[in-house]
Amino acid sequence: MEFIEYHLFSDTLYLGERGKGDIFKPCLRTIPFSQISGALNSKFGTDGFKAVGYLSGNSEYNTIEYMTYAPKDRISGVSKLPLQIEFLTNVFAKIFVLKNKDADTLPDEFQIIMGGLKSKGFGVCVLKKEGIVNAREVAKGILNVRIPVEEKDYFNVKNVINPVYGYLFKKIPNTYTGNYVLSLFEGSEVAAPLFLLRR
């Protein structure tokens, strides 16, 4: 079992939860399976990509900033209650894509669009190939990514010792809708490949 490691760079990125009614929209500190796999599948017109990632790099990367945004009602044209949105600038992340027939066609460098606020210019990401990592050997540690429980075998996640559960959105192919599926979140104690664990 092998994964292709990519380094992801973005000027501005907003990876938000789908919480309704809140006026503060926090940004995630990891790259969930649903976000990166969905972006890859959308870019290349397939549903075969399985990937996860997390923020990395030193203090010059992944700076937290805030913006106030007042979306307008589509019918009346009147602005709704302003939202405060947390986002990341100068983003650097490590992405791990399961090596399969779809992943084998990926170029060494390409661009995707991921996350929210795309209409404001957010989410343009450049991915650059770093190499191949082996996922056969596992160790006990703290998970650093978000993976649907139904997908954990693809990432060789074994022996879930102390899970932190949440839900990730799973799109229904060829539709604009989907469902939320039970997922392992960062902070779960598991046995998994080293590159998926906190250092």
Side-chain angles (χ1 to χ4, degrees):
M1 180 182 291
E2 292 181 325
F3 284 76
I4 306 172
E5 179 180 346
Y6 280 88
H7 286 179
L8 178 149
F9 302 89
S10 179
D11 290 337
T12 53
L13 187 62
Y14 171 65
L15 297 174
E17 300 287 357
R18 289 175 175 255
K20 301 292 184 185
D22 293 337
I23 60 170
F24 176 68
K25 303 291 184 185
C27 186
L28 300 180
R29 304 296 194 272
T30 188
I31 314 288
F33 173 92
S34 53
Q35 293 274 357
I36 186 62
S37 300
L40 289 170
N41 287 326
S42 176
K43 166 79 175 180
F44 295 101
T46 181
D47 61 0
F49 288 106
K50 297 182 184 296
V52 291
Y54 53 82
L55 302 179
S56 189
N58 57 34
S59 59
E60 71 180 275
Y61 293 107
N62 305 313
T63 304
I64 298 169
E65 295 194 20
Y66 301 90
M67 68 176 282
T68 301
Y69 172 55
K72 290 184 178 181
D73 184 279
R74 291 181 182 175
I75 296 172
S76 68
V78 176
S79 292
K80 301 177 184 177
L81 191 67
L83 306 175
Q84 186 179 39
I85 297 169
E86 181 182 67
F87 64 97
L88 299 170
T89 62
N90 196 26
V91 178
F92 173 60
K94 292 184 178 181
I95 304 296
F96 301 93
V97 184
L98 178 66
K99 202 168 186 303
N100 58 20
K101 63 181 179 63
D102 288 312
D104 286 340
T105 67
L106 287 174
D108 290 346
E109 184 174 333
F110 60 94
Q111 189 179 91
I112 60 171
I113 299 177
M114 179 173 65
L117 298 175
K118 297 181 184 77
S119 65
K120 301 293 181 185
F122 284 58
V124 177
C125 304
V126 174
L127 279 78
K128 297 181 180 180
K129 185 176 179 179
E130 271 300 301
I132 305 295
V133 292
N134 193 307
R136 288 189 178 88
E137 292 186 19
V138 301
K140 286 184 180 179
I142 303 301
L143 195 64
N144 202 25
V145 295
R146 294 186 176 188
I147 302 172
V149 170
E150 64 189 28
E151 304 282 353
K152 70 181 179 66
D153 290 344
Y154 289 106
F155 294 86
N156 206 21
V157 175
K158 308 285 189 185
N159 192 18
V160 178
I161 302 159
N162 187 18
V164 176
Y165 287 123
Y167 290 88
L168 292 176
F169 187 75
K170 180 181 179 181
K171 185 180 176 184
I172 298 171
N174 304 315
T175 71
Y176 293 103
T177 187
N179 303 301
Y180 286 91
V181 295
L182 186 67
S183 303
L184 288 168
F185 275 28
E186 68 274 19
S188 298
E189 187 179 0
V190 297
L194 283 174
F195 65 88
L196 297 179
L197 303 176
R198 288 181 183 165
R199 303 277 172 171

